[in-house]
C-alpha cells in the first residue's frame, strides 16, 4: 500500500466486513449445491485462488497494519467492529494465529480509544475461544503482559480487561482465574493505577459471586484503604 491509499481508506475499511458475508454465502452455496458446474466454475476458482478467505484474512491484517502505521485510529476502531463477522468464517486456530496477537498488540500500544475497543473484543474473543487448547496459554499471557507488567499503562489495561471478562464469563470463572490478580492493583505503587482501580469499583464489584463473603470482605477492605490513599484524586474517586 502506498501513501495515496490514505484517501480511499475511509470508504474502503467499512466494506471489508461486507466481503465476509460474500465468502459466507459462497461457502454455504458450495456446501449445499449439488450443481457440479457451480462448484467447478471459473468464477469460483478465481475466488478460491486469488481472494480465498485465508488470503483475505491476511489482506485485512495488512490493512490494519497500514492504519496503525498512519495513526488512523478511528478507522482501526471501525475495522475492529467487524471482527465478530470473521468468527463465523475462520477456525479458532486461524483466529488465534492471526487476529489474537494483533489484538494483544493494540491493547498495549494503541491510542486510548483503540486499546479500550481491543480489550472489549479480546474478552469476547476469549469467550468463543474457551474450548481451544490455546486458551490457558493466552490467559497466562494476559497475566504476564498486563496484570504483572512493569508498565503501569498495561496494568491499567488489565483493570479494563478484568471488567470485560466479568461481562463475558461467569463469576465462578473470575474467582478461579482472575480475582487474585485484581486486588494488588488497588495498592499499586503508581497512583494512576490506583486511581483507575477506584474509578472502576462498581464494575469490579459486579464480578464477585453473591456468596463469596471472603472476597467481598477483601473488596470492602480495599475500598476503605483507597479512601485514605496518599493521592487526593484517588480518595476523591473512592468516596
Amino acid at each position: 500500500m502506498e501513501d495515496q491509499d490514505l484517501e480511499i481508506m475511509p470508504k474502503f475499511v467499512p466494506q471489508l466486513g461486507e466481503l465476509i458475508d460474500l465468502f459466507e454465502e459462497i461457502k454455504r452455496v458450495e456446501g449445499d449445491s449439488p450443481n457440479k458446474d457451480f462448484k467447478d466454475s471459473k468464477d469460483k476458482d478465481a475466488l478460491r485462488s486469488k481472494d480465498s478467505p485465508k488470503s483475505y484474512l491476511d489482506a485485512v491484517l495488512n490493512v490494519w497494519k497500514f492504519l496503525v502505521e498512519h495513526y488512523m485510529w478511528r478507522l482501526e476502531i471501525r475495522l475492529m467492529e467487524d471482527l465478530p463477522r470473521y468468527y463465523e468464517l475462520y477456525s479458532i486456530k486461524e483466529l488465534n494465529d492471526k487476529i489474537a496477537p494483533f489484538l494483544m498488540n493494540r491493547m498495549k500500544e494503541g491510542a486510548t480509544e483503540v486499546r479500550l475497543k481491543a480489550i472489549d473484543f479480546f474478552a469476547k474473543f476469549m469467550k468463543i475461544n474457551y474450548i481451544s487448547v490455546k486458551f490457558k496459554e493466552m490467559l497466562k499471557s494476559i497475566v504476564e503482559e498486563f496484570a504483572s507488567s512493569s508498565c503501569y499503562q498495561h496494568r491499567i489495561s488489565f483493570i479494563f480487561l478484568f471488567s470485560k471478562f466479568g461481562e463475558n464469563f461467569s463469576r465462578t470463572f473470575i474467582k478461579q482465574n482472575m480475582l487474585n490478580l485484581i486486588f494488588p492493583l488497588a495498592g499499586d505503587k503508581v497512583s494512576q493505577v490506583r486511581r483507575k482501580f477506584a474509578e472502576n469499583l462498581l464494575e469490579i464489584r459486579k464480578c464477585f459471586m453473591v456468596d463469596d463473603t471472603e472476597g467481598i470482605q477483601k473488596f470492602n477492605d480495599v475500598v476503605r484503604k483507597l479512601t485514605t490513599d496518599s493521592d487526593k484524586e484517588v480518595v476523591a474517586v473512592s468516596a
Side-chain angles (χ1 to χ4, degrees):
M1 292 187 180
E2 304 296 337
D3 287 344
Q4 57 262 33
D5 292 324
L6 291 170
E7 298 179 5
I8 69 170
M9 282 299 162
K11 293 182 179 179
F12 178 64
V13 170
Q15 297 178 23
L16 291 175
E18 295 176 9
L19 288 174
I20 285 294
D21 293 337
L22 174 62
F23 283 126
E24 271 293 298
E25 179 63 16
I26 291 172
K27 182 179 177 182
R28 182 189 66 77
V29 173
E30 184 179 32
D32 295 343
S33 176
N35 189 334
K36 185 178 184 298
D37 292 336
F38 174 83
K39 291 185 178 182
D40 295 334
S41 70
K42 293 181 179 179
D43 290 341
K44 194 67 189 304
D45 287 341
L47 278 168
R48 281 175 176 155
S49 60
K50 186 177 179 181
D51 297 312
S52 67
K54 286 187 178 182
S55 62
Y56 182 68
L57 184 59
D58 290 331
V60 169
L61 287 173
N62 285 334
V63 171
W64 198 348
K65 292 173 184 177
F66 181 88
L67 299 178
V68 172
E69 291 171 0
H70 291 84
Y71 308 103
M72 304 175 78
W73 63 268
R74 289 183 177 84
L75 288 178
E76 261 202 89
I77 290 174
R78 179 62 185 84
L79 187 151
M80 281 191 279
E81 288 172 350
D82 281 328
L83 287 182
R85 303 169 86 163
Y86 296 79
Y87 301 164
E88 299 296 323
L89 186 61
Y90 297 100
S91 69
I92 286 294
K93 184 181 184 306
E94 290 173 311
L95 295 171
N96 280 337
D97 290 345
K98 297 182 177 181
I99 295 294
F102 212 74
L103 272 177
M104 290 277 284
N105 172 271
R106 304 319 291 148
M107 289 193 295
K108 291 179 180 180
E109 301 180 7
T112 299
E113 294 83 355
V114 170
R115 289 202 306 269
L116 293 175
K117 183 63 71 172
I119 286 169
D120 183 25
F121 279 109
F122 185 80
K124 292 173 180 175
F125 173 70
M126 287 292 282
K127 183 177 182 179
I128 68 167
N129 202 28
Y130 186 69
I131 60 173
S132 167
V133 293
K134 272 204 166 186
F135 183 84
K136 289 185 177 179
E137 178 184 329
M138 294 171 71
L139 201 60
K140 182 180 178 182
S141 294
I142 291 173
V143 175
E144 295 175 348
E145 299 182 35
F146 292 92
S148 303
S149 174
S150 60
C151 174
Y152 82 90
Q153 290 180 324
H154 296 170
R155 298 197 298 277
I156 287 176
S157 290
F158 180 76
I159 295 172
F160 293 115
L161 271 167
F162 180 87
S163 297
K164 289 301 179 180
F165 267 71
E167 294 176 9
N168 290 278
F169 289 85
S170 70
R171 293 178 179 178
T172 300
F173 174 88
I174 296 298
K175 180 179 180 180
Q176 293 174 346
N177 296 278
M178 303 184 77
L179 201 56
N180 64 319
L181 302 171
I182 195 68
F183 284 127
L185 299 183
D188 197 276
K189 61 183 180 180
V190 178
S191 62
Q192 288 96 321
V193 179
R194 303 197 304 276
R195 194 180 311 148
K196 194 59 64 175
F197 187 100
E199 290 174 358
N200 288 271
L201 286 175
L202 290 178
E203 295 302 316
I204 293 170
R205 176 63 179 81
K206 291 177 184 177
C207 298
F208 287 79
M209 297 175 65
V210 177
D211 59 351
D212 184 9
T213 54
E214 182 180 350
I216 293 172
Q217 181 60 53
K218 191 171 182 179
F219 175 82
N220 291 336
D221 292 341
V222 164
V223 173
R224 279 193 290 270
K225 187 174 181 179
L226 288 171
T227 59
T228 60
D229 194 271
S230 58
D231 186 288
K232 292 181 179 179
E233 292 187 36
V234 174
V235 172
V237 176
S238 304

